[in-house]
């Protein structure tokens, strides 16, 4: 069996309404992309929920998956009219053949070399270097496969900072990848917390798969004590709110690393943490930054 993929070009003002109308009129799935992706006119968009000043792209492309046999002109015409478009938009179509989607998905995740001695390897791959420290993490319900720039920034920082016997807190643990890396790099007491119960469950499962000892808990539960190293890879707005709590978890002389921060958000994060400790830019990757500091 095969399906059809429709690519419909429109403007940013109508893209979301068109996507909703296509779904209501029988499309199986829809997505909105930059129509200029892959060209010099491509416009990457980063930001937190509610923080993006303009939704979508001025030249947008709505991609819809539909079952064969559907009347395409009728589908697009009715959807365009409902979205408020004055005329039928231009579109292209192509067949999408039946595939082993598990195999296709797995093929998108290759081993990631964080450094010569630290690798992230999906469970279906053989580690490229048997002597390296290997984190076995599969894509799943929680954030953190190692491919995102912020995760890489935090992993690279942890590799330089974690020492034998250190205590580490991974705040907003997602898949648990940072906590697991800390444990494999020699940390003794490792704790991960997250607001999402699925993340707590995924982290515990990943720690077991990697044969490391780490404790994971709901962020709403009481967490006592402080740590030699605290790392939080979340988003700028929650990080600002959490400044007093995160800094309180850092022992005197301990280190803090924050990521999930866009470069243009750097100054406001540094200002938010200034009453507690001094932060500075440790490294940047693409549009993201990692801020670090030491508690006096």
């Amino acid at each position: 069996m095969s399906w059809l993929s429709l690519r419909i070009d429109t403007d940013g003002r109508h893209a979301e309404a068109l996507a909703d109308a296509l779904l209501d009129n029988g499309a199986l799935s829809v997505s909105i992309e930059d129509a200029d992706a892959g060209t010099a006119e491509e416009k990457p968009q980063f930001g937190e929920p509610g923080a993006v000043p303009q939704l979508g792209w001025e030249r947008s492309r709505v991609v819809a998956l539909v079952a064969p046999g559907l009347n395409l002109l009728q589908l697009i015409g009715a959807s365009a009219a409902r979205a408020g478009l004055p005329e039928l938009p231009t579109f292209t179509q192509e067949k999408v053949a039946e595939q082993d989607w598990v195999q296709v998905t797995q093929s998108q995740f290759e081993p990631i070399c964080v450094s010569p001695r630290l690798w992230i390897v999906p469970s279906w791959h053989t580690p490229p270097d048997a002597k390296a420290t290997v984190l076995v993490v599969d894509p799943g319900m929680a954030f953190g496969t190692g491919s995102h720039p912020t995760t890489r920034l935090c992993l690279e920082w942890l590799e330089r900072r974690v020492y034998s016997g250190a205590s580490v807190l991974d705040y907003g643990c997602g898949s648990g990848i940072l906590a697991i890396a800390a444990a494999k790099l020699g940390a003794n007491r490792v704790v991960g917390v997250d607001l999402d119960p699925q993340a707590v469950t995924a982290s515990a499962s990943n720690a077991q798969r990697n044969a490391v000892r780490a404790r994971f808990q709901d962020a709403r539960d009481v967490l006592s004590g402080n740590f030699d190293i605290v790392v939080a890879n979340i988003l700028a707005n929650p990080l600002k709110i959490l400044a007093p709590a995160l800094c309180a978890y850092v022992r005197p002389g301990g280190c803090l690393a924050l990521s999930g921060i866009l470069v243009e958000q750097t100054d406001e994060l540094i200002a938010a943490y200034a009453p507690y400790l001094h932060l500075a830019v440790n490294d940047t990757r693409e549009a993201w930054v990692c801020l670090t500091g030491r508690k006096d």
Side-chain angles (χ1 to χ4, degrees):
M1 181 177 178
S2 62
W3 292 267
L4 287 175
S5 175
L6 304 179
R7 289 174 168 80
I8 309 168
D9 289 345
T10 186
D11 59 84
R13 293 167 297 168
H14 294 95
E16 189 169 346
L18 178 60
D20 290 342
L22 286 164
L23 277 176
D24 290 342
N25 287 326
L28 301 173
S29 67
V30 295
S31 62
I32 302 175
E33 304 172 355
D34 183 356
D36 295 317
T39 73
E41 301 302 316
E42 180 178 4
K43 296 179 176 62
Q45 291 192 4
F46 302 98
E48 301 180 32
V52 180
Q54 179 180 338
L55 294 176
W57 298 269
E58 181 56 35
R59 281 176 34 81
S60 294
R61 176 167 295 144
V62 179
V63 181
L65 185 70
V66 301
L70 206 61
N71 187 316
L72 300 184
L73 288 177
Q74 183 177 343
L75 168 67
I76 297 171
S79 300
R82 179 172 166 180
L85 288 167
E87 58 185 25
L88 191 73
T90 59
F91 70 95
T92 60
Q93 60 177 295
E94 66 177 353
K95 286 185 178 180
V96 179
E98 178 70 65
Q99 300 184 63
D100 183 337
W101 294 109
V102 172
Q103 185 177 24
V104 170
T105 300
Q106 289 182 347
S107 70
Q108 297 172 357
F109 294 91
E110 295 290 330
I112 297 171
C113 179
V114 178
S115 75
R117 74 180 184 117
L118 182 62
W119 283 80
I120 305 163
V121 182
S123 60
W124 53 84
H125 279 285
T126 301
D129 184 352
K131 296 180 181 179
T133 299
V134 174
L135 313 177
V136 180
V137 179
D138 292 343
M141 296 295 289
F143 176 79
T145 61
S147 59
H148 195 273
T150 61
T151 310
R152 294 283 298 275
L153 288 168
C154 291
L155 285 170
E156 291 166 6
W157 181 82
L158 283 172
E159 187 191 16
R160 297 190 298 268
R161 287 293 179 179
V162 174
Y163 54 89
S164 180
S167 57
V168 177
L169 171 63
D170 176 7
Y171 202 98
C173 57
S175 69
I177 188 170
L178 301 181
I180 293 166
K184 288 213 167 192
L185 291 168
N188 183 33
R189 177 188 172 216
V190 179
V191 178
V193 301
D194 204 291
L195 282 170
D196 184 356
Q198 288 184 327
V200 175
T201 300
S203 294
S205 177
N206 284 329
Q208 183 177 21
R209 171 181 282 174
N210 282 271
V212 298
R213 293 182 60 185
R215 179 168 61 87
F216 298 95
Q217 67 175 62
D218 192 299
R220 287 160 289 222
D221 294 339
V222 175
L223 176 63
S224 58
N226 52 26
F227 299 81
D228 300 312
I229 296 170
V230 176
V231 58
N233 181 23
I234 318 177
L235 288 170
N237 286 334
L239 286 174
K240 286 189 286 186
I241 296 169
L242 289 166
L246 290 178
C247 292
Y249 288 131
V250 183
R251 69 161 180 81
C255 296
L256 173 68
L258 307 177
S259 197
I261 305 162
L262 293 166
V263 171
E264 59 265 28
Q265 297 170 326
T266 298
D267 290 344
E268 60 187 278
L269 262 295
I270 290 175
Y273 280 76
Y276 314 102
L277 56 77
H278 174 69
L279 290 176
V281 175
N282 178 74
D283 200 358
T284 59
R285 186 75 43 83
E286 296 178 19
W288 304 92
V289 65
C290 177
L291 302 178
T292 60
R294 182 180 296 276
K295 187 174 183 179
D296 295 331

